[in-house]
């Protein structure tokens, strides 16, 4: 049996598929969150300072790093869907991009917020105009700008295209964020933030961090699909299949 993936480009087909997948993603989110938090808090005590209270604040990395990764990844995915919408003029692609934006903005804010709490005991300040912090803040503004621009234009098609172009322009921030922390020559772009290097991370810490990242990824799927289903119903409100769906729900 062959599966025709192109049929899911249709809003009615994807609406049904998303409805079946949402409970699965919520379940995976809960399981992975429990495992990740347990491993991070109870299986990494020696690596994170043990009984030394001055080292306990490092536990925030399991939230901070994972949310920062997701903030960049979701922006890239949002731009990819927006670009597909511009090239192929597919309604579902624009709706997918719009559905991703709030979740991406949430993770970007979470990365900034947890970073501030991490920075206070680490650097002695909640905020510094460090390249990594500043570029992440600009990424947050790009998410907000995308959503604000889309909401400011009454015509849906014009809003989709205009916000998609803004998102594509803002994509430059993703490599900027990466290179602001992984600069080829640290002497030329010094930053308070540590350089990222997964090969030097303890196995227990890495496991907890990756598990939390997967949990956030599953959460992104769940919330995006929920938001997308709402967008589909709103934009397709006048279509026959939505009217039939509403009648069927009313009969139940």
């Amino acid at each position: 049996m062959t599966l025709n993936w192109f049929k899911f480009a249709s809003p009615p087909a994807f609406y049904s598929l998303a409805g079946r997948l949402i409970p699965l993603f919520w379940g995976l989110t809960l399981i992975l969150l429990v495992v990740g938090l347990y491993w991070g808090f109870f299986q990494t005590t020696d690596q994170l300072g043990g009984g030394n209270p001055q080292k306990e604040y490092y536990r925030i990395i399991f939230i901070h790093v994972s949310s920062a990764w997701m903030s960049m990844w979701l922006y890239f995915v949002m731009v990819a869907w927006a670009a597909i919408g511009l090239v192929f003029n597919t309604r579902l692609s624009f709706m997918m991009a719009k559905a991703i934006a709030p979740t991406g903005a949430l993770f970007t804010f979470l990365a900034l917020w947890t970073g501030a709490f991490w920075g206070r005991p680490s650097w002695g300040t909640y905020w510094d105009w460090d390249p990594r912090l500043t570029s992440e803040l600009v990424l947050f503004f790009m998410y907000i700008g995308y959503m604000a621009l889309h909401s400011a234009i009454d015509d849906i098609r014009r809003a989709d295209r205009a916000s998609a172009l803004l998102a594509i322009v803002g994509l430059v921030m993703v490599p900027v964020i990466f290179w602001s922390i992984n600069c080829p020559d640290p002497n030329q772009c010094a930053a308070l933030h540590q350089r990222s290097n997964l090969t030097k991370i303890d196995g227990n810490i890495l496991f907890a961090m990756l598990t939390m990242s997967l949990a956030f990824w599953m959460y992104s799927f769940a919330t995006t699909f929920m938001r997308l289903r709402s967008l589909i119903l709103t934009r397709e409100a006048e279509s026959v299949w939505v009217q039939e769906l509403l009648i069927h729900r009313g009969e139940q």
Side-chain angles (χ1 to χ4, degrees), residues 182-196:
N182 296 286
C183 182
D185 185 359
N187 295 323
Q188 298 298 321
C189 47
L192 294 176
H193 203 286
Q194 298 90 338
R195 291 170 62 86
S196 60

Side-chain angles (χ1 to χ4, degrees), residues 5-248:
W5 291 102
F6 290 102
K7 74 176 184 179
F8 295 116
S10 167
F14 197 88
Y15 179 89
S16 177
L17 175 64
R20 293 193 296 268
L21 292 177
I22 286 171
L24 171 63
F25 286 127
W26 276 122
L28 290 173
T29 299
L30 179 61
I31 293 171
L32 290 168
L33 273 177
V34 171
V35 173
L37 290 175
Y38 168 79
W39 211 269
F41 277 83
F42 299 104
Q43 298 298 320
T44 59
T45 53
D46 293 337
Q47 289 77 18
L48 295 182
N52 183 356
Q54 293 182 349
K55 293 294 184 181
E56 293 303 308
Y57 60 80
Y58 275 116
R59 297 184 189 280
I60 204 169
I61 66 174
F62 302 116
I63 304 294
H64 174 69
V65 174
S66 300
S67 58
W69 285 347
M70 289 307 302
S71 70
M72 292 183 285
W73 170 245
L74 288 178
Y75 194 88
F76 177 81
V77 175
M78 182 184 77
V79 170
W81 282 113
I84 292 173
L86 285 174
V87 173
F88 298 103
N89 196 28
T90 50
R91 293 173 298 162
L92 188 63
S93 299
F94 286 124
M95 286 188 276
M96 184 71 80
K98 189 174 187 296
I100 290 171
T103 303
L106 172 65
F107 280 122
T108 309
F109 175 79
L110 185 61
L112 291 168
W113 184 52
T114 53
F117 279 92
W118 189 358
R120 184 65 178 88
S122 298
W123 306 330
T125 180
Y126 287 111
W127 182 264
D128 188 278
W129 293 103
D130 175 86
R132 178 64 170 87
L133 301 178
T134 306
S135 55
E136 186 76 5
L137 179 63
V138 173
L139 183 67
F140 178 68
F141 288 149
M142 292 305 303
Y143 274 117
I144 299 301
Y146 171 89
M147 293 185 287
L149 179 61
H150 200 288
S151 300
I153 301 175
D154 294 330
D155 184 84
I156 294 297
R157 293 190 177 184
R158 287 182 56 221
D160 284 338
R161 299 182 70 85
S163 56
L165 290 172
L166 177 63
I168 292 173
V169 171
L171 184 61
V172 68
M173 291 311 304
V174 174
V176 167
I177 292 172
F178 179 80
W179 288 114
S180 68
I181 185 173
N182 296 286
C183 182
D185 185 359
N187 295 323
Q188 298 298 321
C189 47
L192 294 176
H193 203 286
Q194 298 90 338
R195 291 170 62 86
S196 60
N197 191 338
L198 296 181
T199 61
K200 296 183 179 180
I201 299 178
D202 175 80
N204 283 324
I205 295 177
L206 182 61
F207 175 79
M209 195 178 297
L210 293 178
T211 302
M212 289 298 297
S213 298
L214 285 174
F216 286 169
W217 196 9
M218 296 302 103
Y219 171 84
S220 300
F221 275 116
T223 55
T224 297
F225 284 176
M226 289 178 65
R227 200 174 293 113
L228 180 61
R229 278 165 58 89
S230 178
L231 285 172
I232 290 174
L233 289 181
T234 301
R235 296 196 182 189
E236 303 285 312
E238 303 299 325
S239 62
V240 175
W241 74 271
V242 172
Q243 297 298 325
E244 292 177 349
L245 178 65
L246 295 177
I247 292 174
H248 179 69

